[in-house]
């Protein structure tokens, strides 16, 4: 397989809560002012990413997996996932609050939807002064049955809100109630799944005056209580990987690129995804150089050996799945 930094055409999604930051800050090509999501790498049905650059330009993500299998995915990943890409990579812009929601785990998603579950994480790229997120129920004794009775009067007594600032990162396992709040621009890494159970949608309506569907009974079944703090505590390192999340479904690190350094991925049995979340960086692999600005994403095949990074000052998220590691769920706590 030809090794180079593979870019895909973003798939832009209009959302009732979407804004204009994906265009104004991340340079996504759109004249619409309600774009909520940019799907950077997707294998979701009817939303499969297409290669934008290089020798594979015009091919789909699915075709790359079919043609190159373990060379593209990694040996263990191909054994587990076959020709199904296991991650969905996004940028999100919330002009207004997203719905309060929860996602099923693998067991529930398989039972009801024949799908993967949805464990995810966020990295906050930008936030308004008063921006916040919802993470979990208010306390450990709140009964999930309350999800059937959320109103504008009691919503702020049921859910836990946390203020957020640029540079923070949060781990959201399947079963954890959550919502990105107004004014947040985030990178999201998740399992390949588009299953969401809405609990509360702020009583808003679409252009036809209709409210979006809620899924409170499924949400009650899916909701779990988690005792750990979801916010990562990490030490940013120049030209080295600082871990944000390491779970059964993905590993995400952050790298501060300062000047030039070379990283060896030869022992990593996985594709590698780089998301530029600040600044601009040149990435060279297989003698091909690709420039990433904030909001750009590339994928390196599993057969990649060494990669050169060059920047005056940039930050990258580094994402992969390595089945050779003995995973324990951690999140730099």
């Amino acid at each position: 397989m030809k090794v180079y930094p593979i870019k895909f055409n973003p798939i832009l999604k209009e959302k009732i809560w979407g804004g204009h930051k994906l265009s104004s800050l991340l340079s996504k090509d759109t004249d619409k002012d309600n774009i909520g999501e940019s799907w950077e790498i997707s294998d979701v049905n009817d939303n499969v990413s297409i290669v934008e650059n290089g020798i594979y330009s015009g091919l789909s993500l699915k075709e790359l997996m079919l043609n190159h299998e373990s060379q593209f995915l990694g040996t263990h990943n191909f054994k587990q996932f076959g020709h199904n890409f296991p991650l969905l990579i996004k940028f999100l812009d919330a002009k207004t609050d997203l719905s309060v929601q929860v996602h099923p785990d693998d067991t529930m998603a398989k039972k009801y939807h024949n799908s993967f579950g949805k464990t995810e994480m966020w990295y906050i790229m930008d936030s308004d002064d008063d921006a916040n997120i919802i993470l979990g129920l208010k306390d450990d004794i709140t009964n999930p049955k309350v999800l059937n009775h959320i109103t504008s009067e009691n919503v702020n007594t049921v859910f836990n809100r946390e203020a957020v600032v640029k540079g923070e990162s949060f781990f959201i396992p399947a079963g954890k109630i959550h919502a990105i709040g107004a004014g947040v621009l985030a990178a999201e890494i998740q399992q390949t799944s588009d299953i969401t159970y809405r609990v509360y949608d702020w009583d808003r309506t679409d252009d036809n005056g209709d409210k979006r569907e809620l899924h409170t009974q499924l949400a009650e079944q899916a909701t779990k209580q988690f005792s750990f703090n979801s916010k990562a505590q990490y030490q940013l390192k120049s030209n080295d990987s600082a871990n944000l999340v390491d779970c059964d479904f993905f590993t995400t690190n952050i790298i501060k690129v300062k000047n030039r350094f070379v990283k060896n991925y030869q022992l990593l049995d996985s594709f590698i995804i780089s998301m530029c979340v600040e600044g601009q960086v040149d990435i060279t692999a297989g003698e091909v150089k690709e420039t990433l600005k904030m909001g750009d994403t590339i994928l390196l095949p599993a057969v990649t050996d060494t990669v050169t990074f060059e920047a005056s000052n940039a930050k990258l998220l580094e994402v992969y799945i390595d089945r050779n590691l003995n995973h324990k769920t951690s999140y730099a706590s």
Side-chain angles (χ1 to χ4, degrees), residues 257-321:
V257 183
K258 187 73 172 175
N259 301 321
R260 179 183 184 275
F261 80 102
V262 178
K263 185 159 186 179
N264 191 330
Y265 288 104
Q266 202 164 15
L267 299 180
L268 182 66
D269 182 31
S270 175
F271 59 86
I272 307 104
I273 294 167
S274 290
M275 306 177 75
C276 186
V277 293
E278 188 174 318
Q280 179 174 301
V281 58
D282 291 332
I283 297 181
T284 303
E287 301 182 351
V288 176
K289 179 187 289 186
E290 191 68 48
T291 299
L292 273 66
K293 60 185 181 302
M294 187 171 77
D296 286 340
T297 303
I298 59 96
L299 182 147
L300 298 163
V303 289
T304 300
D305 288 339
T306 59
V307 180
T308 301
F309 301 88
E310 295 179 84
S312 59
N313 195 0
K315 292 177 185 174
L316 295 173
L317 297 186
E318 174 188 57
V319 184
Y320 52 82
I321 304 172

Side-chain angles (χ1 to χ4, degrees), residues 9 39 45 92 96 98 107 116 142 146 169 176 224 245 257 269 276-277 287 297 308 332:
N9 293 311
W39 290 17
N45 289 340
L92 294 90
T96 60
L98 274 67
T107 300
F116 293 128
T142 301
V146 76
S169 179
K176 189 175 186 71
K224 303 174 185 177
V245 172
V257 183
D269 182 31
C276 186
V277 293
E287 301 182 351
T297 303
T308 301

Side-chain angles (χ1 to χ4, degrees), residues 23 43 67 95 106 121 131 162-163 182 216 294:
S23 172
D43 191 35
N67 294 341
K95 183 178 181 179
D106 280 351
M121 66 153 291
E162 295 190 21
T216 50
M294 187 171 77

